[in-house]
Amino acid sequence: MEPGDRLFNPLPLAGLGALQPFNDCRAVGATFVGMSRFDATEAARMLVEERCTLAFPAIDALWAAILDMADTAALSELWLVAVDGSAERLKATAERLPEATQV
């Protein structure tokens, strides 16, 4: 992560799943893009409009819902996606976002 990066994280800041990435952004001067409550349509919109370069959806079901709503061509700025997912979801992400690295 670098100062110009924009990290999307739909998880609540009350948990470590969002707090650590938030602090990582603060440490390097990157932008944290969060949500007050999860909504897949809003998440897909935010990823595009905020020009996010990293996504930390973390949970397979959240990421699946976002991908179902997103125009993946518009997500071309994503270079990293961090998600715990099934082999099928990881393969689907790789097919839809071939330029993004998954961890």
Side-chain angles (χ1 to χ4, degrees):
M1 185 183 310
E2 297 178 352
D5 279 320
R6 302 178 65 78
L7 182 137
F8 172 78
N9 189 320
L11 303 177
L13 279 174
L16 191 58
L19 190 57
Q20 184 61 48
F22 176 80
N23 286 329
D24 292 343
C25 287
R26 287 182 45 153
V28 301
T31 300
F32 183 88
V33 178
M35 303 184 76
S36 58
R37 67 176 184 79
F38 181 75
D39 176 272
T41 303
E42 179 68 5
R45 183 196 65 74
M46 289 176 75
L47 276 161
V48 173
E49 287 185 11
E50 296 288 338
R51 300 176 328 278
C52 294
T53 55
L54 300 101
F56 190 79
I59 301 167
D60 183 78
L62 296 182
W63 186 234
I66 293 168
L67 282 181
D68 286 346
M69 296 295 180
D71 170 10
T72 49
L75 299 178
S76 62
E77 296 200 40
L78 281 177
W79 65 266
L80 182 83
V81 177
V83 64
D84 180 20
S86 65
E88 294 81 22
R89 175 69 51 225
L90 298 174
K91 183 178 177 188
T93 299
E95 289 171 356
R96 293 181 72 183
L97 301 171
E99 300 300 319
T101 298
Q102 295 183 81
V103 294

